[in-house]
Amino acid sequence: MFILRYGSQGPRVEQLQLALSRTHTYQGNIDGIFGWRTRDAVFHFQRMHGLLPDGVVGEQTWAAILPYLRGYQLHTIRPGDTVSRIAGEYDTIAQSILQANPGLDVYNLTIGEMLAVPLHFPIVPTNIAFTSDVLDMVIDGLLVRYPFLQDEIIGQSVLGTDIYAISIGDGETEVFYNASHHANEWITTPVLMQFLEEYAQAVQEKGRIRGYAAEELFHATTLYVVPMVNPDGVDLVTGVWGEDEKPYRRAAAIAAHYPQIPFPRGWKANLAGVDLNLNYPAEWEQAREIKFALGYTTPAPMYYVGAAPLSQPETRALNAFTLRHDFALTISYHTQGEVIYWKFLDYNPVGSYEIAQQFAAVSGYAAEQTPYASGFAGYKDWFIQTYNRPGYTIEAGYGVSPLPLRQFPTIYRDNIGILVLGIALAAKR
């Protein structure tokens, strides 16, 4: 169990600051630095929750903090409780409690029964490093708040971290979005998760999302999202591990052979040093020839294609998951360049270019063919080769990866139209 105290730094301190800001005990910057403002907020929070006010975040304080990251509290029904009274106690609304607890008999609450109480703020954070444990907490909170969402573990990473897929919808047409194949492109994960939350809320409220009736999309399609293909790599880049911890040292040993790549900021690969988006069986041999010519012949922070196609547990998981489904369209999110790549070799799936043009129109991004040196062994390439259906790689944002979180609002604004349109167009095919 980790302990946070004055002087601590890193992504867990960001999580702490976010949670405290949601309780209105912290008004400072979310900067990952446990300074005096954070310590004072911890003192205040501990007093509010009947904990020893020592300013240190240990097991008990962290347990009390977690609901403000997951977005819900568990409440045991007491004599005299009503849904309205419970909602008032947690500063939320009764309708949210009813939606999170399907089948609840509001006129006959059972004393001792446990209720999930959604808290009155959006769950998906867009102002902190989106580590694998943040993703776990967000998925947990979304599943409670929107019981019609479903999740499954489709595989594990090199370090055994679970790789999740979340689905929304009950329609026959299947669509697939994925993100964070590359570690330092982790900003794409909150893009997909915020869209999932916005879509789920629109479905629950029988509202509209970017002009489309959410409930109609829900019943016409089933959207599957794998928001973090490469959780180990993301945790490395976001600073989960200290320099003395084994995963960091393992990666640092690999990076030492490629000193021209900034470490860990320049890390794209998984923890075995394989670039996952060069590990699919779509002219993999050509990708190997290109990258070997550039000097990437051993495990590296980027561009090493692996010993063979699908040599990595992450790519095997995505490959097997895809083969179990019948996706009409896929989108893989990367950074950066504000470009939509839509083609692989001479494959020309019906409607693929036309859809790319529509994506370009709603985003302001350019629809282009993949540059030759980057045009082999990616997920999009394999999907198009295997199914001859529309598959896209979208390079979101602009600059040097990892892109700063201040770009998130612009990236999301530019891509929300694509994310909705991908479902709507697939439903018509």
Side-chain angles (χ1 to χ4, degrees):
M1 174 65 191
F2 58 87
I3 295 176
L4 303 177
R5 53 168 53 90
Y6 186 83
S8 296
Q9 296 187 33
R12 289 197 175 95
V13 177
E14 290 185 4
Q15 296 167 28
L16 170 66
Q17 291 170 330
L18 172 67
L20 292 171
S21 70
R22 287 172 169 177
T23 69
H24 308 294
T25 58
Y26 180 71
Q27 286 82 42
N29 294 327
I30 296 179
D31 56 11
I33 301 171
F34 198 132
W36 66 268
R37 288 183 184 273
T38 305
R39 183 185 58 192
D40 287 352
V42 171
F43 278 132
H44 188 185
F45 179 86
Q46 289 171 327
R47 292 188 189 99
M48 287 173 56
H49 289 79
L51 300 168
L52 175 67
D54 58 2
V56 176
V57 180
E59 185 173 357
Q60 288 185 320
T61 300
W62 191 253
I65 284 287
L66 280 176
Y68 299 96
L69 294 172
R70 292 174 174 156
Y72 70 93
Q73 291 271 12
L74 293 176
H75 176 85
T76 302
I77 296 174
R78 303 177 298 240
D81 271 348
T82 66
V83 171
S84 295
R85 182 175 296 175
I86 295 169
E89 180 178 343
Y90 293 96
D91 192 27
T92 188
I93 57 177
Q95 184 64 19
S96 295
I97 297 174
L98 297 176
Q99 291 166 338
N101 299 274
L104 181 68
D105 185 351
V106 298
Y107 300 107
N108 188 28
L109 297 182
T110 303
I111 295 172
E113 184 179 350
M114 191 82 74
L115 293 182
V117 181
L119 302 176
H120 202 46
F121 52 77
I123 297 172
V124 178
T126 61
N127 57 350
I128 65 171
F130 218 97
T131 62
S132 66
D133 58 336
V134 169
L135 179 63
D136 289 350
M137 290 184 283
V138 166
I139 291 173
D140 180 21
L142 290 177
L143 291 171
V144 167
R145 190 169 295 192
Y146 306 107
F148 50 83
L149 295 177
Q150 298 184 40
D151 74 321
E152 63 176 302
I153 296 169
I154 67 167
Q156 282 78 35
S157 67
V158 168
L159 296 184
T161 309
D162 290 334
I163 301 172
Y164 288 96
I166 310 105
S167 63
I168 178 171
D170 58 16
E172 292 185 4
T173 300
E174 296 184 324
V175 180
F176 178 44
Y177 299 161
N178 62 79
S180 291
H181 265 86
H182 289 147
N184 63 354
E185 299 172 5
W186 59 263
I187 198 171
T188 58
T189 294
V191 169
L192 292 191
M193 295 308 294
Q194 178 154 315
F195 169 67
L196 193 63
E197 181 169 18
E198 186 175 346
Y199 181 21
Q201 183 177 358
V203 170
Q204 189 174 74
E205 296 175 355
K206 301 186 185 302
R208 303 183 75 82
I209 182 166
R210 295 308 186 266
Y212 291 88
E215 197 170 22
E216 291 182 11
L217 294 177
F218 182 93
H219 293 308
T221 63
T222 301
L223 171 65
Y224 294 85
V225 174
V226 174
M228 192 177 287
V229 177
N230 183 6
D232 300 342
V234 168
D235 284 348
L236 173 68
V237 174
T238 54
V240 168
W241 299 303
E243 294 183 8
D244 60 340
E245 294 185 73
K246 187 174 180 180
Y248 186 98
R249 289 188 283 109
R250 174 178 180 171
I254 292 171
H257 297 286
Y258 297 87
Q260 73 276 20
I261 301 172
F263 180 78
R265 289 180 57 83
W267 189 277
K268 297 175 70 173
N270 70 353
L271 254 288
V274 175
D275 191 317
L276 296 178
N277 210 44
L278 293 171
N279 194 238
Y280 291 94
E283 300 291 329
W284 176 86
E285 292 79 7
Q286 188 63 42
R288 179 178 61 182
E289 181 179 329
I290 293 169
K291 301 308 180 186
F292 272 37
L294 294 174
Y296 296 96
T297 59
T298 62
M302 60 173 67
Y303 297 154
Y304 177 58
V305 301
L310 303 179
S311 63
Q312 300 306 297
E314 297 92 344
T315 52
R316 289 196 297 272
L318 232 63
N319 174 271
F321 179 70
T322 304
L323 293 175
R324 291 197 300 271
H325 290 276
D326 188 27
F327 298 129
L329 177 149
T330 69
I331 297 176
S332 300
Y333 264 93
H334 291 258
T335 62
Q336 42 70 38
E338 300 184 346
V339 176
I340 301 162
Y341 295 127
W342 62 276
K343 204 169 188 297
F344 176 60
L345 298 179
D346 293 329
Y347 293 90
N348 191 18
V350 175
S352 185
Y353 177 68
E354 291 75 14
I355 292 172
Q357 290 297 308
Q358 292 183 68
F359 285 170
V362 298
S363 64
Y365 286 11
E368 298 181 0
Q369 295 193 33
T370 311
Y372 179 82
S374 305
F376 305 97
Y379 177 85
K380 177 263 291 179
D381 310 323
W382 171 76
F383 178 78
I384 293 174
Q385 172 186 269
T386 304
Y387 293 96
N388 198 27
R389 294 175 183 171
Y392 303 91
T393 293
I394 299 190
E395 300 281 357
Y398 203 81
V400 178
S401 299
L403 299 181
L405 276 170
R406 64 176 177 270
Q407 280 201 33
F408 182 86
T410 300
I411 291 172
Y412 189 72
R413 180 202 66 200
D414 292 344
N415 284 276
I416 178 65
I418 293 176
L419 293 165
V420 176
L421 196 57
I423 305 169
L425 293 176
K428 297 177 181 178
R429 291 177 64 83

